Amino acid sequence: MDRKLLDIICCPVTRSSLELLPEQELRNLNELIGAKRIKNREDAVVDGPLAEALVTRSGKLIYPVRDGIPVLLE
């Protein structure tokens, strides 16, 4: 993910800055996704693993990055 892009985008919900989710945390998240234990904001189970993700500084909200493009939908 381009560092310049990370410097200008923010969470659409909290308006806080975003950073790449570290590899180990991404692996842990994908394990939970595989176990069907992660839900999105619409309360639907997330069904596919993430190759990359952005996370708010608080760690409460995570956004997928698909094909190098952050999906920042509320």
Coordinates of all heavy atoms in Angstrom, one line a residue:
M1 N 0.8 -1.2 0.0 CA 0.0 0.0 0.0 C 0.9 1.2 0.0 O 1.9 1.3 0.7 CB -0.9 -0.1 1.2 CG -1.6 1.2 1.6 SD -3.3 1.1 1.7 CE -3.9 1.0 0.1
D2 N 0.5 2.2 -0.8 CA 1.3 3.4 -0.9 C 1.3 4.2 0.3 O 0.2 4.6 0.9 CB 0.7 4.2 -2.1 CG 1.5 5.4 -2.5 OD1 2.4 5.8 -1.7 OD2 1.2 6.0 -3.5
R3 N 2.4 4.6 0.8 CA 2.5 5.4 2.1 C 1.9 6.7 1.9 O 1.3 7.2 2.9 CB 4.0 5.5 2.4 CG 4.2 6.2 3.7 CD 3.9 5.3 4.9 NE 3.4 6.1 6.0 CZ 2.7 5.7 7.0 NH1 2.3 4.4 7.0 NH2 2.3 6.5 7.9
K4 N 2.0 7.3 0.8 CA 1.4 8.6 0.6 C -0.2 8.6 0.7 O -0.8 9.5 1.3 CB 1.7 9.2 -0.8 CG 3.1 9.6 -1.0 CD 3.4 10.1 -2.3 CE 4.9 10.4 -2.5 NZ 5.2 10.8 -3.9
L5 N -0.7 7.5 0.2 CA -2.2 7.3 0.4 C -2.6 7.1 1.8 O -3.5 7.7 2.3 CB -2.6 6.1 -0.5 CG -4.1 5.7 -0.4 CD1 -4.9 6.9 -1.0 CD2 -4.4 4.5 -1.2
L6 N -1.8 6.3 2.6 CA -2.0 6.1 4.0 C -2.0 7.5 4.7 O -2.7 7.6 5.7 CB -1.0 5.2 4.6 CG -1.4 3.7 4.4 CD1 -0.2 2.8 5.0 CD2 -2.7 3.3 5.0
D7 N -1.2 8.4 4.3 CA -1.0 9.7 5.0 C -2.3 10.6 4.8 O -2.5 11.4 5.6 CB 0.2 10.4 4.5 CG 1.5 9.8 4.9 OD1 1.5 9.0 5.9 OD2 2.5 10.1 4.3
I8 N -3.1 10.3 3.7 CA -4.2 11.2 3.5 C -5.6 10.6 3.7 O -6.5 11.3 3.9 CB -4.1 11.8 2.0 CG1 -4.2 10.7 1.0 CG2 -2.9 12.6 1.9 CD1 -4.4 11.2 -0.4
I9 N -5.7 9.3 3.8 CA -7.0 8.7 4.0 C -7.3 8.6 5.5 O -6.4 8.6 6.3 CB -7.2 7.3 3.3 CG1 -6.2 6.3 3.9 CG2 -7.1 7.5 1.8 CD1 -6.4 4.9 3.3
C10 N -8.6 8.5 5.8 CA -9.0 8.3 7.2 C -10.2 7.4 7.3 O -10.9 7.2 6.3 CB -9.2 9.6 7.9 SG -10.6 10.5 7.3
C11 N -10.5 7.0 8.5 CA -11.7 6.2 8.7 C -12.9 7.0 8.4 O -13.1 8.1 9.0 CB -11.7 5.7 10.1 SG -13.2 4.8 10.6
P12 N -13.9 6.5 7.6 CA -15.1 7.3 7.3 C -16.0 7.4 8.6 O -16.9 8.3 8.6 CB -15.7 6.5 6.2 CG -15.2 5.2 6.3 CD -13.8 5.3 6.9
V13 N -15.8 6.6 9.5 CA -16.7 6.6 10.7 C -16.1 7.5 11.8 O -16.8 8.4 12.3 CB -16.9 5.1 11.3 CG1 -17.7 5.1 12.6 CG2 -17.5 4.2 10.2
T14 N -14.9 7.3 12.2 CA -14.3 8.0 13.3 C -13.4 9.2 12.9 O -13.0 10.0 13.7 CB -13.4 7.1 14.1 OG1 -12.3 6.6 13.3 CG2 -14.2 5.9 14.6
R15 N -13.1 9.2 11.6 CA -12.2 10.3 11.0 C -10.8 10.2 11.6 O -10.0 11.1 11.4 CB -12.7 11.7 11.2 CG -14.1 11.9 10.6 CD -14.0 12.0 9.1 NE -15.3 12.4 8.6 CZ -15.9 11.7 7.7 NH1 -15.4 10.6 7.1 NH2 -17.1 12.1 7.2
S16 N -10.4 9.0 12.2 CA -9.1 8.8 12.7 C -8.2 8.3 11.6 O -8.7 7.8 10.6 CB -9.1 7.9 13.9 OG -9.5 6.6 13.5
S17 N -6.9 8.3 11.8 CA -6.0 7.8 10.7 C -6.0 6.3 10.7 O -6.5 5.7 11.6 CB -4.6 8.4 11.0 OG -4.2 7.9 12.3
L18 N -5.6 5.8 9.6 CA -5.5 4.3 9.4 C -4.1 3.9 9.2 O -3.2 4.6 8.7 CB -6.4 4.0 8.1 CG -7.8 4.3 8.2 CD1 -8.5 4.1 6.8 CD2 -8.5 3.4 9.2
E19 N -3.8 2.6 9.5 CA -2.5 2.0 9.3 C -2.7 0.6 8.8 O -3.8 0.0 9.0 CB -1.7 2.1 10.5 CG -2.3 1.4 11.7 CD -1.5 1.7 13.0 OE1 -1.0 2.9 13.2 OE2 -1.4 0.8 13.8
L20 N -1.7 0.1 8.2 CA -1.8 -1.3 7.7 C -1.9 -2.3 8.9 O -1.1 -2.1 9.9 CB -0.6 -1.7 6.9 CG -0.7 -1.3 5.4 CD1 0.6 -1.6 4.7 CD2 -1.8 -2.1 4.7
L21 N -2.7 -3.2 8.9 CA -2.8 -4.2 9.9 C -1.5 -5.1 9.8 O -1.2 -5.7 8.8 CB -4.1 -5.1 9.7 CG -4.4 -6.1 10.8 CD1 -4.7 -5.3 12.1 CD2 -5.6 -6.9 10.4
P22 N -0.8 -5.3 10.9 CA 0.4 -6.1 10.9 C 0.1 -7.5 10.5 O -1.0 -8.0 10.7 CB 0.9 -6.0 12.3 CG 0.4 -4.7 12.9 CD -1.0 -4.6 12.2
E23 N 1.1 -8.2 9.9 CA 1.0 -9.5 9.3 C 0.4 -10.5 10.3 O -0.5 -11.3 10.0 CB 2.3 -10.1 8.8 CG 2.5 -9.6 7.3 CD 3.7 -10.3 6.8 OE1 3.8 -11.6 6.9 OE2 4.5 -9.6 6.1
Q24 N 1.0 -10.5 11.5 CA 0.5 -11.5 12.6 C -0.9 -11.2 12.9 O -1.7 -12.2 13.0 CB 1.4 -11.4 13.8 CG 1.0 -12.4 14.9 CD 1.1 -13.9 14.4 OE1 2.0 -14.3 13.8 NE2 0.0 -14.7 14.7
E25 N -1.3 -10.0 13.1 CA -2.7 -9.7 13.4 C -3.6 -10.1 12.2 O -4.8 -10.5 12.4 CB -2.8 -8.2 13.8 CG -2.2 -7.9 15.1 CD -2.3 -6.4 15.5 OE1 -3.4 -5.9 15.3 OE2 -1.3 -5.9 16.0
L26 N -3.1 -9.9 11.0 CA -3.9 -10.3 9.8 C -4.1 -11.8 9.8 O -5.2 -12.2 9.5 CB -3.2 -9.8 8.6 CG -4.0 -10.0 7.2 CD1 -5.3 -9.3 7.2 CD2 -3.1 -9.6 6.1
R27 N -3.1 -12.5 10.1 CA -3.2 -14.0 10.2 C -4.3 -14.4 11.3 O -5.1 -15.2 11.0 CB -1.9 -14.7 10.5 CG -1.0 -14.8 9.3 CD 0.2 -15.8 9.6 NE 1.1 -15.2 10.5 CZ 2.1 -14.4 10.2 NH1 2.3 -14.1 9.0 NH2 2.9 -14.0 11.1
N28 N -4.2 -13.7 12.4 CA -5.1 -14.0 13.5 C -6.6 -13.7 13.1 O -7.5 -14.5 13.3 CB -4.8 -13.2 14.8 CG -3.5 -13.7 15.4 OD1 -3.0 -14.8 15.1 ND2 -2.9 -12.8 16.2
L29 N -6.7 -12.6 12.4 CA -8.0 -12.1 11.9 C -8.6 -13.2 10.9 O -9.7 -13.6 10.9 CB -8.0 -10.8 11.3 CG -9.2 -10.2 10.7 CD1 -10.3 -10.1 11.7 CD2 -9.0 -8.9 10.0
N30 N -7.7 -13.6 10.0 CA -8.1 -14.6 9.0 C -8.5 -15.9 9.6 O -9.4 -16.6 9.1 CB -7.1 -14.7 7.9 CG -7.1 -13.6 6.9 OD1 -8.2 -13.0 6.6 ND2 -6.0 -13.2 6.4
E31 N -7.9 -16.3 10.7 CA -8.3 -17.5 11.4 C -9.7 -17.3 11.9 O -10.5 -18.3 11.8 CB -7.3 -17.8 12.5 CG -6.0 -18.4 12.0 CD -5.0 -18.7 13.1 OE1 -5.4 -18.8 14.3 OE2 -3.8 -18.8 12.8
L32 N -10.0 -16.2 12.5 CA -11.3 -15.9 13.0 C -12.3 -15.9 11.9 O -13.5 -16.3 12.1 CB -11.3 -14.6 13.9 CG -10.5 -14.7 15.2 CD1 -10.4 -13.3 15.8 CD2 -11.1 -15.6 16.1
I33 N -12.0 -15.3 10.8 CA -12.9 -15.2 9.6 C -13.2 -16.7 9.2 O -14.3 -17.0 8.9 CB -12.3 -14.4 8.5 CG1 -12.3 -12.9 8.9 CG2 -13.0 -14.6 7.2 CD1 -11.5 -12.0 7.9
G34 N -12.1 -17.5 9.1 CA -12.3 -18.9 8.7 C -13.2 -19.7 9.6 O -13.9 -20.6 9.2
A35 N -13.2 -19.3 10.9 CA -14.1 -19.9 11.9 C -15.5 -19.3 12.0 O -16.3 -19.6 12.8 CB -13.4 -19.9 13.3
K36 N -15.7 -18.3 11.1 CA -17.0 -17.6 11.0 C -17.3 -16.9 12.2 O -18.5 -16.8 12.7 CB -18.1 -18.6 10.7 CG -17.9 -19.5 9.5 CD -18.4 -18.8 8.3 CE -18.4 -19.8 7.1 NZ -17.8 -19.3 5.9
R37 N -16.3 -16.3 12.9 CA -16.5 -15.5 14.1 C -16.4 -14.0 13.9 O -16.4 -13.3 14.9 CB -15.5 -16.0 15.1 CG -15.7 -17.5 15.5 CD -14.8 -18.0 16.5 NE -14.7 -17.2 17.7 CZ -13.7 -17.2 18.5 NH1 -12.6 -18.0 18.3 NH2 -13.7 -16.4 19.6
I38 N -16.2 -13.5 12.7 CA -16.1 -12.1 12.5 C -17.3 -11.6 11.7 O -17.7 -12.2 10.7 CB -14.8 -11.8 11.7 CG1 -13.6 -12.2 12.5 CG2 -14.8 -10.3 11.3 CD1 -13.4 -11.4 13.8
K39 N -17.9 -10.5 12.2 CA -19.1 -9.9 11.5 C -18.7 -8.5 11.0 O -17.9 -7.8 11.7 CB -20.3 -9.9 12.4 CG -20.8 -11.3 12.7 CD -22.1 -11.2 13.5 CE -22.6 -12.6 13.7 NZ -23.9 -12.5 14.4
N40 N -19.4 -8.1 10.0 CA -19.2 -6.7 9.5 C -20.2 -5.8 10.3 O -21.0 -6.2 11.1 CB -19.2 -6.6 8.0 CG -20.6 -6.9 7.5 OD1 -21.6 -7.0 8.1 ND2 -20.6 -7.3 6.2
R41 N -20.2 -4.5 9.9 CA -21.0 -3.5 10.6 C -22.5 -3.8 10.3 O -23.4 -3.3 11.1 CB -20.7 -2.1 10.2 CG -19.3 -1.7 10.8 CD -18.9 -0.3 10.4 NE -19.9 0.7 10.8 CZ -20.0 1.4 11.9 NH1 -19.2 1.1 12.9 NH2 -20.9 2.3 12.1
E42 N -22.8 -4.6 9.3 CA -24.2 -4.9 9.0 C -24.6 -6.2 9.7 O -25.7 -6.8 9.4 CB -24.4 -5.0 7.5 CG -24.2 -3.7 6.8 CD -24.2 -3.8 5.3 OE1 -24.1 -5.0 4.8 OE2 -24.3 -2.8 4.6
D43 N -23.8 -6.7 10.6 CA -24.0 -7.9 11.3 C -24.0 -9.2 10.5 O -24.5 -10.2 10.8 CB -25.3 -7.8 12.2 CG -25.2 -8.7 13.4 OD1 -24.1 -8.9 13.9 OD2 -26.2 -9.2 13.8
A44 N -23.4 -9.1 9.3 CA -23.2 -10.3 8.4 C -21.9 -10.9 8.6 O -20.9 -10.2 8.8 CB -23.4 -9.9 6.9
V45 N -21.8 -12.2 8.6 CA -20.5 -12.9 8.8 C -19.6 -12.7 7.6 O -20.0 -12.8 6.4 CB -20.8 -14.5 8.9 CG1 -19.5 -15.2 9.0 CG2 -21.6 -14.7 10.2
V46 N -18.4 -12.3 7.9 CA -17.4 -12.1 6.8 C -17.0 -13.5 6.3 O -16.6 -14.3 7.1 CB -16.1 -11.3 7.4 CG1 -15.1 -11.2 6.3 CG2 -16.6 -9.9 7.9
D47 N -17.0 -13.7 5.0 CA -16.8 -15.0 4.5 C -15.5 -15.3 3.8 O -15.3 -16.4 3.4 CB -18.0 -15.4 3.6 CG -18.1 -14.4 2.4 OD1 -17.3 -13.5 2.3 OD2 -19.0 -14.6 1.6
G48 N -14.7 -14.3 3.5 CA -13.5 -14.5 2.8 C -12.3 -13.9 3.5 O -12.4 -12.9 4.1
P49 N -11.1 -14.6 3.4 CA -9.9 -14.1 4.1 C -9.5 -12.8 3.4 O -9.8 -12.5 2.3 CB -8.9 -15.2 3.9 CG -9.3 -15.9 2.7 CD -10.8 -15.8 2.7
L50 N -8.7 -12.0 4.2 CA -8.2 -10.7 3.7 C -6.7 -10.8 3.4 O -6.0 -11.4 4.1 CB -8.4 -9.6 4.8 CG -9.8 -9.4 5.2 CD1 -9.8 -8.4 6.4 CD2 -10.7 -8.9 4.1
A51 N -6.3 -10.3 2.2 CA -4.9 -10.3 1.9 C -4.2 -9.1 2.5 O -3.0 -9.2 2.9 CB -4.8 -10.2 0.3
E52 N -4.9 -8.0 2.7 CA -4.4 -6.8 3.3 C -5.6 -6.1 4.0 O -6.7 -6.3 3.6 CB -3.8 -5.8 2.3 CG -2.4 -5.8 2.1 CD -1.9 -4.7 1.2 OE1 -2.5 -4.6 0.1 OE2 -1.0 -4.0 1.6
A53 N -5.3 -5.3 5.0 CA -6.4 -4.6 5.7 C -5.8 -3.4 6.4 O -4.6 -3.3 6.7 CB -7.0 -5.5 6.8
L54 N -6.7 -2.4 6.5 CA -6.3 -1.2 7.3 C -7.1 -1.2 8.6 O -8.2 -1.6 8.6 CB -6.7 0.1 6.4 CG -6.0 0.3 5.1 CD1 -6.6 1.5 4.4 CD2 -4.5 0.4 5.3
V55 N -6.5 -0.6 9.6 CA -7.1 -0.6 10.9 C -7.0 0.8 11.5 O -6.0 1.5 11.2 CB -6.4 -1.7 11.8 CG1 -5.0 -1.4 12.0 CG2 -7.1 -1.8 13.1
T56 N -8.0 1.2 12.3 CA -8.0 2.4 13.0 C -6.9 2.3 14.1 O -6.6 1.2 14.5 CB -9.3 2.8 13.6 OG1 -9.8 1.8 14.4 CG2 -10.4 3.1 12.5
R57 N -6.4 3.5 14.6 CA -5.4 3.4 15.6 C -6.0 2.8 16.9 O -5.2 2.1 17.6 CB -5.0 4.9 16.0 CG -4.4 5.6 14.8 CD -3.0 5.8 14.9 NE -2.5 6.4 13.7 CZ -1.3 6.4 13.3 NH1 -0.4 5.9 14.1 NH2 -0.9 7.0 12.2
S58 N -7.3 2.9 17.1 CA -7.9 2.2 18.3 C -8.0 0.7 18.1 O -8.2 0.0 19.1 CB -9.3 2.8 18.6 OG -10.2 2.4 17.5
G59 N -7.9 0.2 16.9 CA -8.0 -1.2 16.6 C -9.4 -1.7 16.5 O -9.7 -2.9 16.4
K60 N -10.4 -0.8 16.6 CA -11.8 -1.2 16.6 C -12.4 -1.5 15.3 O -13.4 -2.2 15.1 CB -12.6 -0.3 17.4 CG -12.2 -0.2 18.9 CD -13.1 0.6 19.7 CE -12.7 0.6 21.2 NZ -13.6 1.3 22.0
L61 N -11.9 -0.8 14.2 CA -12.5 -0.9 12.9 C -11.4 -1.3 11.9 O -10.3 -0.8 11.9 CB -13.1 0.4 12.5 CG -14.3 0.9 13.3 CD1 -14.7 2.3 12.9 CD2 -15.5 0.0 13.1
I62 N -11.8 -2.3 11.1 CA -10.9 -2.8 10.1 C -11.5 -2.7 8.7 O -12.7 -3.0 8.5 CB -10.5 -4.2 10.4 CG1 -9.7 -4.3 11.7 CG2 -9.6 -4.8 9.2 CD1 -9.4 -5.7 12.2
Y63 N -10.7 -2.2 7.7 CA -11.2 -2.1 6.3 C -10.4 -3.0 5.4 O -9.1 -2.9 5.5 CB -11.1 -0.6 5.9 CG -12.0 0.3 6.7 CD1 -11.5 0.9 7.8 CD2 -13.3 0.4 6.4 CE1 -12.3 1.8 8.6 CE2 -14.2 1.2 7.1 CZ -13.7 1.9 8.2 OH -14.5 2.7 9.0
P64 N -11.0 -3.7 4.5 CA -10.2 -4.6 3.6 C -9.5 -3.7 2.5 O -10.0 -2.6 2.2 CB -11.2 -5.5 3.0 CG -12.5 -4.7 3.1 CD -12.4 -3.9 4.3
V65 N -8.4 -4.2 2.0 CA -7.7 -3.7 0.9 C -7.8 -4.7 -0.2 O -7.3 -5.8 0.0 CB -6.3 -3.3 1.2 CG1 -5.6 -2.8 0.0 CG2 -6.2 -2.3 2.3
R66 N -8.5 -4.4 -1.3 CA -8.7 -5.4 -2.4 C -8.0 -4.9 -3.6 O -8.2 -3.8 -4.1 CB -10.2 -5.6 -2.6 CG -10.8 -6.2 -1.4 CD -12.2 -6.8 -1.8 NE -12.7 -7.5 -0.6 CZ -13.7 -7.0 0.1 NH1 -14.3 -5.9 -0.2 NH2 -14.2 -7.6 1.2
D67 N -7.1 -5.7 -4.1 CA -6.3 -5.3 -5.3 C -5.6 -4.0 -5.1 O -5.5 -3.2 -6.1 CB -7.1 -5.3 -6.6 CG -7.7 -6.7 -6.9 OD1 -7.0 -7.7 -6.7 OD2 -8.9 -6.7 -7.3
G68 N -5.1 -3.7 -3.9 CA -4.4 -2.5 -3.6 C -5.2 -1.3 -3.4 O -4.7 -0.2 -3.2
I69 N -6.6 -1.5 -3.4 CA -7.5 -0.4 -3.2 C -8.2 -0.5 -1.9 O -8.9 -1.5 -1.6 CB -8.5 -0.3 -4.4 CG1 -7.8 -0.2 -5.7 CG2 -9.5 0.8 -4.1 CD1 -8.7 -0.4 -6.9
P70 N -8.1 0.4 -1.0 CA -8.8 0.4 0.3 C -10.3 0.5 0.1 O -10.8 1.4 -0.7 CB -8.3 1.6 1.1 CG -7.2 2.1 0.3 CD -7.2 1.6 -1.1
V71 N -11.1 -0.4 0.7 CA -12.5 -0.3 0.7 C -13.0 0.3 1.9 O -13.1 -0.3 3.0 CB -13.1 -1.8 0.5 CG1 -14.6 -1.7 0.4 CG2 -12.5 -2.4 -0.7
L72 N -13.3 1.6 1.9 CA -13.6 2.4 3.0 C -15.1 2.7 3.1 O -15.5 3.8 3.3 CB -12.8 3.7 3.0 CG -11.3 3.6 3.0 CD1 -10.6 5.0 2.9 CD2 -10.8 2.8 4.2
L73 N -15.9 1.6 3.0 CA -17.3 1.8 3.1 C -17.7 1.7 4.6 O -17.2 0.8 5.3 CB -18.0 0.7 2.3 CG -17.7 0.7 0.8 CD1 -18.4 -0.5 0.2 CD2 -18.2 2.0 0.2
E74 N -18.6 2.6 5.0 CA -19.0 2.6 6.4 C -19.8 1.4 6.8 O -20.6 0.8 6.1 CB -19.9 3.9 6.6 CG -20.2 4.2 8.0 CD -20.8 5.5 8.2 OE1 -20.6 6.4 7.5 OE2 -21.6 5.6 9.1

